């Protein structure tokens, strides 16, 4: 069992606490209790009777803009409800929910407006503090939805959402929470974005896309159109985290292509577009949720001051900056230890290193603590040495913004600011039970110990209400693993001797190692004199005066494309051409030409070297177009047939207003624009045919031209694929395998041929391949046809033999009426025919193979295969096939083979024609070919004479044999069953191509052909 506690002070005298009992065996919460105190923690009332005795609660929320309004969610494993209070928890009203709430997001200004995210990725909104809910959108990414930003978004109920499309893509969309219909949605970013990438903070919106396999980031400043973020060219980011946006620029951590456990810090210009390097190789760690935790800490109350842990030659060291990353230095270690002994620690070989992790428990302080109302005071866990260590750590404090440090505890402690920052509270970590707390009124120079519990308590947290007028704090924890929650109220008001007066304050000058100008200004603060035990009547520290400084070199950082060298000057990077002028700069206009420097954002310095480092205004020169780039929206080189393709044309250099743009789409159409400004929203085009098109862009003015091109694959979805292959083939003889697709105009297809037991496919761009089967038996052939993101396949089983016989079969007309002309039906009917034949002839089942052809009229081919056991020799096997054929021919001629299609409907199987050669053979015969042909012709003439003379129906069999040379197998045309059959010579037999063309024409005329099916599947064999 484990007990959990959630608590909140409501600013008055009321405290609400929710406790839960977690059963590890069941893996869920089994009990909960809601407690309320009306006297700031002196007494508590259990509210289970008011919320429901058996109700299990999960989360407690307090409205951030009106703390009298409380919302409590029930555990969805028991029920889905919300309990609402408008009087600080004195009474509750219960409302049923039609969904399970995972998280809530309150509006920053409207106290009754709430967004709720459900377990099934749906976003709901409420405008009456949770009593009624309405669906906003489905398929929303967790934690990627935001309320509007006041002053930037026009509608107060506007919501920024990252949502998934039905086909799995991600989009950034906005809509009003009250009316988020499909027509009311807008998509500020044109195209898809990467999942879990939308960030909406202050003036900035950032999204990530993938371009040519690389991550690219776009930013919208103050809701302007999105522009590509420019990070130094070869950073090649794998990941990026937006760390802060609250000081008029974007601070980002970027993991580059060659980094695994570190990130580089980058800082942007005011618009968030051009980023420069601030610090390399910042340490990272993994949080409990698996998220990357960047070892960077922004000191509260002092603008531009940051502390970071950086990895240098496999050692992690702590650095500090006072000008937003322009300059960094190591921390000077304390000069003395707790006993007053000197500490010998010489920079840069030895320094102070701090742990910068934030606490994942909101009721503990974390490893470093600062407070905006107490600028300059920093308390942190750390160590002294050559690198950061997590062993033998102590507690350190700085009263002058990190310039000097003092050692205050040998062990790690949790630290809180009391009395609006005027006092420090220290408590040992919860690893061991404690009875005492420590309080300091002189910024950690002296500490007094006070007992708060007669029995040692494992402290799980401390409730300290920021800004409260009451000098009260509440400890909660447990005496042992089996004990109940213990809450201990501590009123420390008696520690103060009086209310602070003017004489109890002194001035404090912010500085950086004696340099009074920090971020371009001198700042003087008023703060309580250390050691005065007076109670603050206002914030502990306030700014007394601010005076701008004269600009000097350290007020400027390197501009985009420039790098700071050892001499301290900013010079162009090897990949950057400082002479490049933006395409938006047109003749007659002016532009700002960078000197390689830019003033640190939010730096308030004036005059001095400002003019020398500032960008210079220059006239836009006349120049030919250079660096023409052509792409598509979303950077995709594929498009579906008939869809809109948006082409993007960009120019690195040139006069945008005097440069003509031409775009040839490659399909016989082209467009021309008088200047580049007409193409800012993209150039749209619809392709009416599939294929690969070369798209050419040309930029031209009076001084020159530039061109570029791309190859666009326009694909159409394949609706059907059919594999054409013979049912039986001769061993070691080449046959053709053909894939027929519909629609037939899809030209950008890839074919994957899986032949037999091969573990790798044969990949072709053509729909036909030759193949030789080297082993007898049943072989499976599968063809997969890939078109865009879809893949279809068809499979055939082919029997491979050294010789065989075959008969062509036809059926009574009633079978055609029931023929849907699909593969499954043909397979089932083939099995019924085979079963009927086996009832007539005593033949092993594995020697018969029936293949029903596609199309109407229904026809089939019966294959007679040799026995698998040929121990008696080839001659005996041939004789057996002849005998089987005779038996089946007689039965078929006498209409003895039939089957029942459905009750009352029987289908008769007929033989269509008889082979003129005895069998298909794989043994070469050099001398007998001519004799065999002569006998075949004589036999054919005799047969035709009998038909003509006696007008009798004679069954026919296909002709199969072999010639010596490696010729593709062909099939001899068949003789029809007409009573007026003329004499036929061997030269009059149709070729296979003619047969297929005639049959195709006939089916089209009858209107019965399926365009996805080919003509009848006829095995390829050599003819004699």
């Amino acid at each position: 069992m484990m007990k959990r506690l959630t608590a909140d002070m409501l600013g008055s005298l009321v405290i609400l606490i929710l406790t839960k009992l977690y059963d590890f065996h069941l893996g869920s919460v089994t009990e909960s209790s809601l407690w309320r105190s009306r006297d700031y923690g002196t007494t508590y009332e259990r509210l289970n009777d008011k919320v429901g005795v058996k109700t299990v609660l999960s989360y407690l929320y307090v409205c951030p803009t009106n703390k009298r309004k409380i919302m409590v969610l029930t555990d969805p494993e028991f029920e889905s409800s919300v309990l609402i209070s408008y009087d600080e928890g004195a009474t509750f009203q219960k409302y049923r929910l039609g969904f399970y709430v995972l998280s809530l997001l309150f509006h920053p200004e409207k106290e009754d407006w709430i967004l709720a995210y459900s377990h099934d990725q749906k976003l709901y909104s409420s405008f009456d503090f949770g009593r009624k809910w309405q669906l906003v959108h489905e398929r929303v990414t967790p934690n990627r939805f935001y309320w509007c930003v006041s002053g930037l978004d026009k509608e107060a109920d506007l919501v920024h959402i990252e949502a998934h499309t039905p086909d799995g893509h991600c989009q950034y969309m906005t809509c009003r929470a009250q009316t988020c219909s499909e027509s009311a949605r807008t998509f500020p970013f044109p195209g898809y974005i990467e999942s879990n990438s939308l960030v909406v903070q202050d003036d900035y919106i950032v999204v990530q896309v993938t371009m040519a396999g690389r991550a690219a980031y776009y930013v919208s400043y103050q809701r302007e159109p999105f522009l590509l973020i420019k990070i130094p060219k070869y950073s090649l980011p794998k990941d990026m985290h937006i760390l802060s946006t609250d000081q008029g620029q974007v601070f980002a951590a970027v993991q580059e292509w060659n980094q695994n456990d570190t990130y580089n810090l980058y800082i942007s210009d005011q618009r968030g577009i051009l980023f420069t390097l601030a610090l390399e190789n910042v340490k990272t760690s993994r949080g409990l949720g698996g998220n990357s935790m960047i070892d960077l800490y922004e000191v509260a109350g002092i603008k531009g001051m940051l502390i970071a842990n950086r990895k240098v030659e496999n050692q992690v060291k702590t650095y500090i900056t006072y000008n937003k990353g322009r300059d960094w230095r190591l921390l000077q270690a304390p000069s003395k230890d707790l006993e007053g002994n000197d500490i010998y620690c010489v920079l840069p070989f030895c320094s102070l290193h701090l742990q910068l992790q934030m606490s994942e428990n909101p009721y503990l302080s974390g490893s470093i603590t600062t407070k905006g109302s107490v600028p300059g005071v920093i308390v942190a866990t750390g160590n002294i040495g050559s690198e950061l260590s997590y062993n033998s750590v102590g507690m350190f404090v700085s009263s002058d913004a990190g310039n000097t440090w003092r050692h205050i505890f040998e062990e790690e402690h949790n630290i809180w600011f009391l009395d609006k920052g005027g006092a420090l509270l220290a408590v040992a970590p919860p690893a061991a039970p404690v009875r005492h707390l420590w309080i300091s009124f002189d910024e950690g120079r002296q500490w007094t110990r006070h007992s708060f519990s007669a029995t040692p308590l494992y402290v799980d947290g401390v409730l300290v209400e920021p800004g409260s007028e009451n000098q009260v704090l509440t400890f909660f924890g447990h005496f042992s693993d089996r004990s109940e929650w213990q809450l201990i109220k501590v009123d420390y008001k008696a520690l103060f001797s009086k209310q602070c007066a003017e004489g109890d304050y002194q001035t404090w000058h912010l500085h950086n190692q004696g340099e009074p100008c920090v971020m371009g200004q001198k700042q003087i603060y008023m703060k309580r004199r250390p050691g005065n035990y007076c109670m603050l009547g206002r914030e502990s520290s306030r700014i007394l005066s601010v005076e701008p400084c004269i600009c000097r070199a350290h007020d400027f950082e390197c501009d985009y494309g420039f790098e700071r060298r050892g001499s301290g000057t900013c010079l162009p990077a090897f990949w950057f051409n400082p002479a490049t002028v933006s395409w938006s700069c047109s003749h007659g206009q002016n532009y700002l030409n960078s000197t390689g420097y830019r003033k640190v954002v939010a730096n308030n310095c004036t005059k001095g070297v400002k003019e020398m480092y500032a960008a210079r205004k220059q006239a836009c020169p006349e120049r030919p177009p250079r660096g023409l780039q052509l792409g598509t929206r979303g950077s995709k080189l594929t498009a579906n047939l008939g869809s809109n393709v948006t082409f993007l044309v960009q120019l690195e250099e040139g006069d945008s207003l005097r440069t003509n743009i031409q775009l040839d789409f490659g399909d016989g159409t082209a467009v021309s624009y008088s200047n580049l400004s007409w193409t800012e929203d993209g150039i749209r085009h619809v392709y009416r045919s599939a294929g690969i098109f070369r798209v050419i862009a040309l930029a031209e003015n009076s001084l020159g031209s530039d061109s570029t091109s791309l190859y666009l694959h326009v694909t159409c979805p394949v609706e059907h694929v059919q594999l054409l292959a013979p049912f039986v083939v001769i061993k070691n003889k080449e046959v053709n395998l053909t894939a027929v697709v519909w629609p037939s105009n899809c030209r950008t297809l890839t074919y994957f041929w899986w032949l037999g037991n091969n573990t790798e496919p044969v990949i072709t761009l053509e729909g036909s391949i030759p193949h030789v089967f080297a082993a007898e038996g049943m072989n499976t052939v599968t063809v997969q046809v890939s078109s865009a993101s879809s893949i279809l396949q068809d499979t055939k089983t082919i029997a491979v033999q050294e010789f065989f016989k075959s008969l062509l079969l036809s059926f009574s007309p009633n079978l055609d009426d029931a023929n849907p002309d699909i593969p499954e039906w043909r397979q089932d009917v083939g099995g019924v025919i085979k079963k009927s034949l086996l009832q007539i002839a005593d033949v092993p089942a594995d020697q018969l193979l029936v293949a029903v052809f596609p199309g109407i009229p229904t026809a089939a081919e019966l294959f007679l295969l040799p026995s698998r056991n040929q121990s008696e020799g080839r001659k005996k096997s041939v004789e057996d096939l002849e005998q089987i054929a005779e038996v089946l021919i007689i039965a078929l001629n006498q209409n003895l083979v039939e089957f029942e299609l459905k009750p009352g409907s029987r289908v008769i199987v007929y033989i269509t024609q008889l082979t003129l050669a005895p069998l298909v053979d794989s043994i070469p015969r050099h001398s007998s070919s001519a004799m065999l042909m002569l006998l075949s012709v004589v036999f054919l003439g005799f047969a035709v004479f009998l038909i003509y003379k006696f007008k009798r129906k004679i069954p026919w069999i296909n002709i199969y044999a072999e010639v010596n040379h490696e010729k593709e197998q062909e099939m001899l045309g068949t003789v029809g069953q007409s009573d007026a059959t003329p004499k036929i010579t061997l030269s009059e037999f149709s070729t296979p191509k003619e047969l297929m063309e005639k049959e195709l024409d006939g089916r089209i005329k009858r209107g019965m052909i399926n365009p996805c099916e080919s003509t009848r599947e006829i095995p390829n064999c050599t003819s004699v």
Side-chain angles (χ1 to χ4, degrees):
M1 298 287 186
M2 184 177 74
K3 298 169 184 177
R4 297 175 177 175
L5 181 146
T6 303
D8 210 303
M9 293 182 173
L10 304 186
S12 58
L13 297 176
V14 176
I15 300 176
L16 285 177
I17 295 179
L18 172 63
T19 61
K20 295 179 286 185
L21 183 64
Y22 184 84
D23 191 320
F24 285 103
H25 298 290
L26 298 177
S28 62
V29 174
T30 58
E31 297 178 17
S32 68
S33 295
L34 184 62
W35 304 83
R36 182 173 185 262
S37 172
R38 293 181 294 172
D39 50 14
Y40 223 78
T42 302
T43 60
Y44 284 89
E45 173 191 7
R46 189 176 181 181
L47 304 181
N48 285 34
D49 291 340
K50 296 182 179 180
V51 300
V53 177
K54 296 184 178 180
T55 301
V56 179
L57 306 176
S58 58
Y59 292 103
L60 168 66
Y61 292 93
V62 178
C63 177
T65 54
N66 182 356
K67 291 196 172 185
R68 291 185 58 83
K69 293 185 176 182
I70 312 298
M71 182 177 291
V72 184
L73 300 178
T74 62
D75 192 316
E77 292 190 9
F78 297 89
E79 63 173 309
S80 183
S81 300
V82 59
L83 295 122
I84 298 173
S85 173
Y86 299 94
D87 51 10
E88 297 181 322
T91 59
F92 282 92
Q93 298 174 0
K94 191 173 185 179
Y95 298 90
R96 292 285 183 180
L97 296 176
F99 57 96
Y100 297 156
V101 177
L102 288 184
S103 62
L104 294 179
L105 181 64
F106 290 86
H107 194 279
E109 296 176 353
K110 306 291 185 179
E111 60 187 55
D112 289 336
W113 293 10
I114 309 172
L115 294 176
Y117 185 75
S118 69
H119 72 292
D120 54 355
Q121 298 184 327
K122 294 180 180 179
L123 188 65
Y124 296 85
S125 63
S126 174
F127 296 90
D128 54 6
F129 202 70
R131 289 181 293 178
K132 296 188 297 292
W133 296 87
Q134 63 187 46
L135 179 66
V136 178
H137 200 270
E138 299 178 337
R139 298 182 297 274
V140 177
T141 306
N143 301 317
R144 296 295 172 175
F145 49 90
Y146 307 84
W147 278 112
C148 67
V149 177
S150 178
L152 292 175
D153 297 311
K154 296 180 181 179
E155 296 86 7
D157 64 337
L158 188 75
V159 183
H160 302 265
I161 302 173
E162 180 187 295
H164 292 259
T165 61
D167 57 357
H169 292 97
C170 240
Q171 287 182 303
Y172 161 44
M173 58 167 283
T174 61
C175 68
R176 302 186 66 175
Q178 299 186 67
T179 55
C180 193
S181 61
E182 187 171 351
S183 60
R185 300 166 190 164
T186 60
F187 299 88
F189 183 80
Y192 299 126
I193 66 174
E194 288 296 311
S195 179
N196 208 42
S197 71
L198 175 65
V199 177
V200 180
Q201 287 184 202
D202 301 315
D203 291 343
Y204 307 93
I205 302 175
V206 179
V207 298
Q208 176 188 343
V209 300
T210 299
M211 302 174 60
R214 297 177 182 175
Y217 299 87
Y218 285 81
V219 62
S220 168
Y221 174 66
Q222 293 186 345
R223 306 306 186 261
E224 295 176 356
F226 280 88
L227 295 174
L228 179 66
I229 287 177
K230 292 187 177 181
I231 303 173
K233 187 172 183 179
Y234 294 107
S235 298
L236 305 179
K238 296 190 297 185
D239 187 26
M240 183 167 78
H241 295 278
I242 304 301
L243 302 180
S244 71
T245 57
D246 57 352
Q247 293 185 9
Q249 63 184 156
V250 179
F251 216 105
V254 176
Q255 188 172 56
E256 301 186 9
W257 65 273
N258 57 349
Q259 293 179 306
N260 294 315
D261 58 349
T262 60
Y263 279 68
N264 289 349
L265 297 182
Y266 285 90
I267 196 164
S268 77
D269 60 352
Q270 187 173 5
R271 299 184 65 197
I273 298 172
L274 303 177
F275 281 75
T276 57
L277 182 65
L279 186 65
E280 289 183 298
N281 296 321
V282 177
K283 174 184 174 293
T284 61
S285 57
R286 291 288 178 184
L288 291 178
N291 298 323
S292 294
M293 309 293 291
I294 314 295
D295 264 23
L296 177 73
Y297 185 81
E298 187 173 0
V299 178
I302 300 180
K303 182 174 58 178
M305 185 175 174
L306 303 162
I307 303 175
N309 284 327
R310 179 189 181 193
K311 193 173 184 180
V312 182
E313 297 178 353
N314 293 323
Q315 289 186 326
V316 177
K317 301 175 182 288
T318 301
Y319 290 79
I320 190 170
T321 179
Y322 294 85
N323 52 10
K324 275 194 167 183
R326 197 276 189 193
D327 301 293
W328 296 84
R329 64 174 174 82
L330 294 168
L331 298 180
Q332 178 65 60
S335 58
K336 296 183 180 296
D337 61 16
L338 284 175
E339 285 75 27
N341 302 316
D342 292 337
I343 297 177
Y344 298 97
C345 185
V346 180
L347 294 173
F349 310 103
C350 175
S351 60
L352 175 64
H353 309 284
L354 304 179
Q355 297 179 19
L356 305 178
Q357 289 84 15
M358 302 298 295
S359 174
E360 295 186 358
N361 181 348
Y363 307 109
L364 297 178
S365 65
S367 59
I368 184 168
T369 303
T370 59
K371 189 175 179 64
S373 60
V374 196
V377 178
I378 308 170
V379 187
T381 304
N383 67 284
I384 300 172
S386 60
E387 63 178 326
L388 178 67
S389 173
Y390 292 91
N391 300 317
S392 302
V393 298
M395 298 298 298
F396 300 86
V397 65
S398 173
S399 298
D400 55 4
N403 286 282
T404 61
W405 295 83
R406 298 186 304 276
H407 193 185
I408 55 175
F409 290 110
E410 290 285 1
E411 297 177 340
E412 182 178 2
H413 282 65
N414 286 288
I415 304 291
W416 291 270
F417 287 94
L418 303 179
D419 188 33
K420 302 176 184 177
L424 294 176
L425 166 70
V427 179
V434 294
R435 290 187 300 172
H436 302 94
L437 57 85
W438 299 83
I439 292 182
S440 172
F441 290 90
D442 55 4
E443 298 174 351
R445 292 176 177 83
Q446 295 181 351
W447 294 84
T448 56
R449 191 177 75 165
H450 303 272
S451 176
F452 67 90
S453 174
T455 304
L457 180 74
Y458 289 92
V459 178
D460 293 311
V462 178
L463 299 180
V464 180
E465 179 67 7
S468 173
E469 298 295 330
N470 298 304
Q471 283 69 39
V472 174
L473 54 93
T474 301
F475 287 83
F476 66 87
H478 53 280
F479 294 135
S480 67
D481 293 337
R482 298 180 178 275
S483 69
E484 297 292 333
W485 285 109
Q486 304 296 323
L487 285 88
I488 300 176
K489 175 183 176 181
V490 177
D491 189 342
Y492 57 91
K493 185 176 182 180
L495 298 176
F496 300 102
S497 58
K498 62 175 183 175
Q499 193 81 20
C500 289
E502 286 295 327
D504 295 313
Y505 294 90
Q506 67 179 17
T507 60
W508 173 70
H509 296 255
L510 174 65
H511 67 93
N512 175 13
Q513 291 186 320
E515 170 56 56
C517 291
V518 177
M519 290 293 289
Q521 60 186 9
K522 297 178 182 179
Q523 301 177 60
I524 301 176
Y525 292 84
M526 289 289 293
K527 59 192 305 185
R528 188 177 58 183
R529 295 180 184 275
N532 282 5
Y533 286 77
C534 63
M535 187 184 306
L536 294 173
R538 55 175 179 257
E539 294 293 336
S540 170
S541 181
R542 69 183 189 277
I543 297 179
L544 183 63
S545 66
V546 176
E547 179 185 346
C549 297
I550 300 298
C551 290
R552 290 180 290 176
H554 62 252
D555 296 312
F556 293 81
E557 61 191 4
C558 291
D559 204 350
Y560 174 77
F562 292 82
E563 297 174 340
R564 191 173 301 279
R565 304 301 167 88
S567 61
T569 58
C570 297
L571 298 177
F574 74 94
W575 49 266
F576 182 71
N577 181 11
T580 300
V581 180
S582 170
W583 59 267
S584 61
C585 187
S586 183
H587 183 65
Q589 298 177 343
N590 296 319
Y591 76 101
L592 294 177
N593 186 17
S594 175
T595 61
Y597 300 86
R598 68 185 186 194
K599 193 168 77 167
V600 174
V601 174
N603 187 293
N604 294 325
C605 72
T606 60
K607 301 179 180 179
V609 299
K610 183 177 180 180
E611 294 299 324
M612 182 176 69
Y613 285 121
R616 296 178 174 84
K617 182 184 292 186
Q618 294 184 359
C620 295
E622 294 186 71
R623 59 206 186 282
R626 291 288 182 269
L628 182 64
Q629 299 175 6
L630 176 63
T632 62
R633 187 84 72 194
S635 301
K636 292 187 176 181
L637 296 179
T638 62
N640 292 327
L641 181 66
S643 64
N644 258 317
V645 182
T646 302
F647 292 96
L648 303 177
V649 181
Q650 295 179 340
L651 193 64
E652 291 184 357
E653 296 183 59
D655 191 334
S656 63
L657 297 181
R658 290 172 172 80
T659 299
N660 177 270
I661 300 295
Q662 300 177 30
L663 191 62
D664 185 342
F665 298 110
D667 62 349
T669 59
V671 293
S672 179
Y673 296 89
S674 59
N675 61 68
L676 194 63
S677 62
W678 293 103
T679 69
E680 290 182 356
D681 294 331
I683 303 171
R684 296 184 179 181
H685 183 65
V686 177
Y687 286 87
R688 301 302 179 185
S689 61
I692 303 176
F693 299 90
R694 184 187 183 193
V695 185
I696 303 174
L698 173 66
E700 188 175 27
N701 62 19
S702 59
L703 299 179
S705 63
D706 193 13
S707 64
T708 186
S709 63
L710 62 79
Y711 294 89
L712 183 71
H713 291 238
V714 178
T715 61
C716 61
V718 175
E719 299 176 8
H720 182 77
V721 58
Q722 180 184 0
L723 175 59
L724 299 184
F727 297 103
V728 184
V729 300
I730 299 299
K731 174 183 174 183
N732 293 325
K733 289 300 174 181
E734 186 178 273
V735 294
N736 281 335
L737 306 175
T738 302
V740 179
V741 298
W742 177 259
S744 58
N745 61 343
C746 295
R747 298 163 53 195
T748 54
L749 303 178
T750 304
Y751 299 83
F752 299 85
W753 304 87
W754 300 87
L755 304 171
N757 295 322
N758 292 351
T759 57
E760 294 292 333
V762 177
I763 304 175
T764 67
L765 298 178
E766 299 294 333
S768 180
I769 63 167
H771 184 66
V772 175
F773 293 92
E776 290 187 54
M778 305 303 292
N779 287 264
T780 300
V781 176
T782 298
V783 61
Q784 292 181 318
V785 181
S786 174
S787 174
S789 59
S790 64
I791 294 180
L792 295 181
Q793 74 176 34
D794 192 19
T795 300
K796 286 289 189 299
T797 300
I798 300 174
V800 181
Q801 301 291 336
E802 288 191 358
F803 57 91
F804 63 89
K805 276 182 172 292
S806 78
L807 306 173
L808 293 181
L809 306 178
S810 60
F811 306 91
S812 52
N814 60 332
L815 185 60
D816 293 342
D817 297 335
N819 186 353
D821 203 14
I822 60 175
E824 296 91 332
W825 184 88
R826 293 193 290 270
Q827 184 177 358
D828 290 340
V829 169
V832 174
I833 297 170
K834 180 177 177 180
K835 184 177 179 181
S836 301
L837 291 169
L838 291 174
Q839 293 175 352
I840 299 299
D842 185 15
V843 182
D846 59 0
Q847 286 190 250
L848 295 186
L849 177 63
V850 178
V852 180
F853 299 132
I856 297 175
T858 310
E861 187 166 8
L862 168 63
F863 294 93
L864 308 179
L865 309 180
S867 173
R868 294 182 181 178
N869 182 14
Q870 299 186 26
S871 59
E872 297 181 1
R874 173 187 173 87
K875 182 178 180 181
K876 181 67 168 60
S877 297
V878 172
E879 292 175 353
D880 291 344
L881 286 187
E882 297 287 353
Q883 293 177 4
I884 295 172
E886 290 178 6
V887 171
L888 294 177
I889 290 170
I890 294 171
L892 290 166
N893 281 332
Q894 295 178 359
N895 297 340
L896 298 179
V897 182
E898 62 178 3
F899 61 91
E900 189 174 55
L901 184 64
K902 58 183 178 179
S905 176
R906 301 194 67 82
V907 177
I908 302 174
V909 184
Y910 306 104
I911 188 167
T912 303
Q913 70 185 86
L914 177 68
T915 58
L916 301 183
L919 50 90
V920 179
D921 201 342
S922 64
I923 299 177
R925 295 179 178 83
H926 299 279
S927 60
S928 61
S929 298
M931 181 60 69
L932 183 57
M933 180 174 289
L934 177 60
L935 292 175
S936 299
V937 173
V938 172
F939 183 81
L940 177 60
F942 179 71
V944 172
F945 171 75
L946 291 178
I947 295 173
Y948 180 74
K949 183 70 176 176
F950 301 104
K951 299 184 179 180
R952 295 181 57 189
K953 293 183 179 180
I954 299 179
W956 300 82
I957 303 179
N958 286 335
I959 301 173
Y960 296 101
E962 180 196 5
V963 292
N964 300 328
H965 52 79
E966 294 296 327
K967 180 181 178 183
E968 180 182 335
Q969 298 182 29
E970 299 173 349
M971 179 177 178
L972 194 64
T974 58
V975 181
Q977 293 182 346
S978 172
D979 290 342
T981 305
K983 294 183 179 180
I984 300 175
T985 63
L986 193 61
S987 61
E988 292 176 320
F989 282 91
S990 300
T991 65
K993 182 177 181 181
E994 291 170 345
L995 277 174
M996 297 179 73
E997 291 177 349
K998 289 178 181 179
E999 186 170 357
L1000 181 60
D1001 292 340
R1003 292 188 186 181
I1004 293 174
K1005 290 176 181 178
R1006 292 193 300 269
M1008 302 172 68
I1009 189 167
N1010 184 342
C1012 294
E1013 300 281 3
S1014 71
T1015 57
R1016 179 174 300 169
E1017 300 174 272
I1018 302 178
N1020 296 322
C1021 305
T1022 54
S1023 62
V1024 177

